[in-house]
Every structure is written in structure tokens, then in C-alpha cells.
Amino acid sequence: MEHFQNDDLEYIVDDYYDFDDFEHDDLFAEPEPRRDTADFDSFDSDFEDDFESKKPKTDTSAVEARNGKDIQGIPWERLNFTRDKYRETRLRQYKNYESLSGSREGMEKECLQVEKGNAFYDFQFNTRLVKSTIVHFQILAYAMASVSINCKALGLMMLLRNLLWATSKHDVYLMQNYSVMHWSSLLRKGKEVLNVAKPIVPNLKRQSQQLSRVQISTMAVKENLMVAGGFQGELICKVSVCFGALRVMAANNDAQIRVFDAETFSTLNRFSFDWSVNNTSVSPDGKLLAVLGDSTDCLIADAQSGKVTGTLEGHLDYSFASAWHPDGNILATGNQDTTCRLWDVRKPSQSLAVLKGRMGAIRALKF
């Protein structure tokens, strides 16, 4: 679609720490001093030393982290509790949202015991110069719930309230107010790629309907294609260059999955189900669909016809996320019962393994 400039929105940087959910008096031993708001547009240095000179005081570099500074820049030494104590209390106080109530005791016994203490990532830096915006933990409850991009048989899923998307280890797309931003951790700078604060005029002649101030509630990015879903069921597709057939699959609370041609935006197909669909993802070979939503069952369907070919039973609540292993046989599903289940779609009668989450619903998965 069109490229819009964002003239009336600010990039806000703050040093406010949200401890609203932590029941503790006198959080800070002394007032936290405020710092100046950083200018995102002027932050365009490619060099580490320039970054060090411009970064906010609460940002943390790898060197500072190795020397003991908190990776989020939180001054725990000035608080009346430690990070571990806060996390312990947070885990104890957190109440997971449940659509279906019931005993979880049997599920706990199914979960694999995972070894802790391994390091899978090296910390590089933390920055507050770019800030994502999230309206509600389940914002899509009244609108579009999921989008999947099928690009030449390569499936890409989009999750419920997915407002953060990484296309590589150093490229991140995120929502900030009414803009979709691209942040490069290599260049240490960002760029607006879509603005929906102002009226959007489609550049396809056959589409006359304009959109005004869309509240983006989910998005997906793959190569030269970006898709965004709105709070009121809007669907925005931005293609830089279209090579070959690109299909967009949108799942909705009206219990349907719609298949669109990304170039013409014409509807190619639609599949109907018995409940609201929160997530759909395409298998690596493009032949199968995982269909998840307001049901304890997860469905496997033919990607061309939408016909259900298998049912995965085991979750205790509604599902929100799925991911295919590159071999196309193993599927992971994330559920509001706080578990991730692994399935072999060739033997759908029972899950291969159950992994327990730390706190709430599993809303994002990736191999």
C-alpha cells in the first residue's frame, strides 16, 4: 500500500518502571531522577562509541552487564527488594486468565521436567530509544485473530496480539502508537514502515474503501510482504515487490479463515469452522493448516480445501499459537492452559510431549 509519513506522533522514551502488580510499599528508597527524552530520528549512528554517547542512562551495554548492571537498567540497589524477590512475588501473585475453568492437577503430571541453568543467548545491549505499544493482552477478542502468510509454500504464522515480529536476529518490527516501526540492532536506528494514524487510501483501483486511524492489533512480516490486522477486523497488506504468487490467510472471530491474493487482494477461498479461529499456520510444504481457536481441540486441515483431516486433543483451554518444525511432521501448539504441546501430525491421537510455561497462556511459539 502507500507509504505514510508520521508527522503528528512522538516517539516517547521514559524511565517509568511499572510495578503496579507488585504489592509492596515504598518501592523506591529515593526518587528516581528523570532524564531527557531522546530524539529517535536523530539517533542514526552506526558506531558503538556514538551509541554509548547518545544512549539514555537506563540503557545497558554488554560491558556494563558483565560488570553487574541490570540488563533492563532497573536500579534494584535503590529498591527495597531484589530482582529475584520481585520475580518470585510476581509469579506467586499472577492469576492466569482462563476461558474454561477446571482442574489442572493432571496436566502438571504430564509436563516434562526441564533442566534449568543453560545459557542460550549472549546479552548485547538494551535500549529504551524505541518503545512498543500494546493496548490489551487479548485485543483481538473482538476482531481479526490471526494471519498466516503462505509464500511459495513457505508458511508463516501470525499470533493473537502479535505486535512484535523478528525477521532475523537483528531486524525487529514493532507497533508504536499508530505506526509500524523497523528497528535494526546493527545500525542502532529505526524507520517507520507503515502509518495508520491518518486515512489510508488503497492503491488498487478496484478498492475504493478508505480506512481511518486503524488500531493495529496483530501483524506479520516476511521478506517483501507485511500484513497488519486491525481491532475492527481491518486487514492491511503492504507489498514492496511482488514475485510470484503470495497468499495471505486471515483467521477471524467469525469462525472463518480467508485466503487472499496478496497482489490483487482478491479472495481466493474461505474455510468455515465451529468456533472462533485465533491462529492458523501453514506446514513447510504448504499442504496442511493448523487451525486453533476457542476450543480445546486443535485441527489439522487441507490447505487447499479446508477439509479437516485430523484432530489434536489434550489441551484444557483455548489455543493461541502454533509452529511447524521444518520437517513438516512435528507441530507445536500454545494454549491458555499455560502449556505447549508437541504433536506428530502423522499420529495425532496423543501429544508427544507437554512443556509447562512459567506464568500465563502460551501465545508465541517458534522452532
Side-chain angles (χ1 to χ4, degrees):
M1 298 303 175
E2 302 291 341
H3 181 87
F4 295 91
Q5 295 297 323
N6 188 346
D7 299 323
D8 55 1
L9 293 179
E10 290 184 301
Y11 300 103
I12 302 174
V13 180
D14 59 47
D15 56 359
Y16 172 73
Y17 303 104
D18 185 4
F19 293 104
D20 290 344
D21 294 326
F22 191 76
E23 297 176 0
H24 198 290
D25 296 329
D26 301 326
L27 299 182
F28 290 94
E30 59 182 270
E32 170 70 6
R34 296 200 60 80
R35 55 179 171 75
D36 295 335
T37 298
D39 184 356
F40 186 95
D41 292 328
S42 66
F43 186 68
D44 56 3
S45 172
D46 297 349
F47 302 97
E48 176 69 21
D49 56 349
D50 196 38
F51 169 73
E52 290 293 329
S53 66
K54 291 188 176 183
K55 70 175 186 176
K57 294 180 180 178
T58 51
D59 285 2
T60 306
S61 68
V63 173
E64 290 172 326
R66 287 195 294 269
N67 290 333
K69 183 178 179 179
D70 182 77
I71 61 173
Q72 292 178 274
I74 299 175
W76 295 103
E77 70 280 359
R78 295 167 55 188
L79 304 179
N80 291 330
F81 46 86
T82 63
R83 170 184 280 276
D84 290 340
K85 180 64 176 178
Y86 176 83
R87 182 169 181 80
E88 176 187 332
T89 305
R90 173 76 169 141
L91 289 170
R92 186 174 65 252
Q93 292 179 350
Y94 183 82
K95 181 174 176 57
N96 182 47
Y97 184 87
E98 295 180 355
S99 295
L100 301 177
S101 59
S103 174
R104 302 286 199 261
E105 293 183 5
M107 179 191 69
E108 297 283 349
K109 297 178 181 179
E110 285 188 88
C111 295
L112 289 179
Q113 296 300 313
V114 180
E115 182 180 343
K116 300 177 182 179
N118 294 319
F120 296 97
Y121 302 95
D122 285 329
F123 176 80
Q124 290 186 307
F125 74 97
N126 156 280
T127 182
R128 287 174 176 261
L129 289 178
V130 60
K131 188 179 181 72
S132 60
T133 303
I134 297 176
V135 176
H136 191 271
F137 85 107
Q138 214 170 15
I139 191 172
L140 290 181
Y142 306 101
M144 191 183 86
S146 171
V147 166
S148 174
I149 300 174
N150 187 0
C151 179
K152 300 177 182 177
L154 296 177
L156 173 66
M157 66 177 178
M158 187 156 96
L159 317 175
L160 183 76
R161 200 206 70 175
N162 195 36
L163 300 180
L164 186 68
W165 195 271
T167 55
S168 76
K169 62 184 179 181
H170 49 71
D171 290 288
V172 179
Y173 292 82
L174 60 126
M175 271 304 303
Q176 188 170 55
N177 298 321
Y178 289 93
S179 294
V180 176
M181 302 295 302
H182 168 250
W183 171 263
S184 171
S185 64
L186 291 180
L187 302 179
R188 309 290 176 92
K189 65 180 180 180
K191 176 182 178 182
E192 181 185 77
V193 294
L194 179 67
N195 184 306
V196 291
K198 301 174 181 178
I200 300 175
V201 181
N203 60 8
L204 295 180
K205 294 182 178 179
R206 67 181 188 84
Q207 289 187 323
S208 58
Q209 182 181 4
Q210 296 187 20
L211 297 177
S212 298
R213 183 157 281 214
V214 178
Q215 177 63 66
I216 292 181
S217 51
T218 188
M219 66 178 180
V221 183
K222 185 179 180 72
E223 298 172 359
N224 57 341
L225 176 63
M226 182 180 70
V227 181
F231 188 82
Q232 301 299 328
E234 305 95 337
L235 186 64
I236 303 169
C237 182
K238 182 174 181 178
V239 184
S240 55
V241 181
C242 191
F243 298 105
L246 277 73
R247 293 184 299 160
V248 175
M249 308 188 75
N252 199 283
N253 262 10
D254 63 6
Q256 290 193 0
I257 293 177
R258 292 172 175 83
V259 184
F260 298 93
D261 183 290
E263 185 176 12
T264 65
F265 229 50
S266 58
T267 303
L268 301 177
N269 213 334
R270 65 177 66 193
F271 311 134
S272 298
F273 300 90
D274 295 331
W275 27 259
S276 298
V277 184
N278 296 328
N279 172 272
T280 183
S281 59
V282 189
S283 62
D285 61 7
K287 295 181 179 180
L288 298 176
L289 285 180
V291 183
L292 307 87
D294 290 0
S295 171
T296 57
D297 295 341
C298 301
L299 306 179
I300 303 298
D302 181 87
Q304 298 300 319
S305 65
K307 180 181 178 181
V308 176
T309 59
T311 302
L312 310 178
E313 301 178 359
H315 280 302
L316 304 179
D317 210 318
Y318 295 167
S319 294
F320 295 103
S322 62
W324 291 88
H325 187 277
D327 68 9
N329 295 321
I330 306 301
L331 176 72
T333 57
N335 193 275
Q336 205 161 241
D337 64 11
T338 72
T339 69
C340 164
R341 286 181 179 261
L342 298 177
W343 314 82
D344 187 332
V345 295
R346 298 166 299 182
K347 303 174 183 178
S349 59
Q350 187 175 2
S351 57
L352 297 175
V354 185
L355 305 177
K356 184 71 171 65
R358 283 295 298 250
M359 287 179 62
I362 308 299
R363 299 182 184 275
L365 292 169
K366 191 171 185 179
F367 279 97

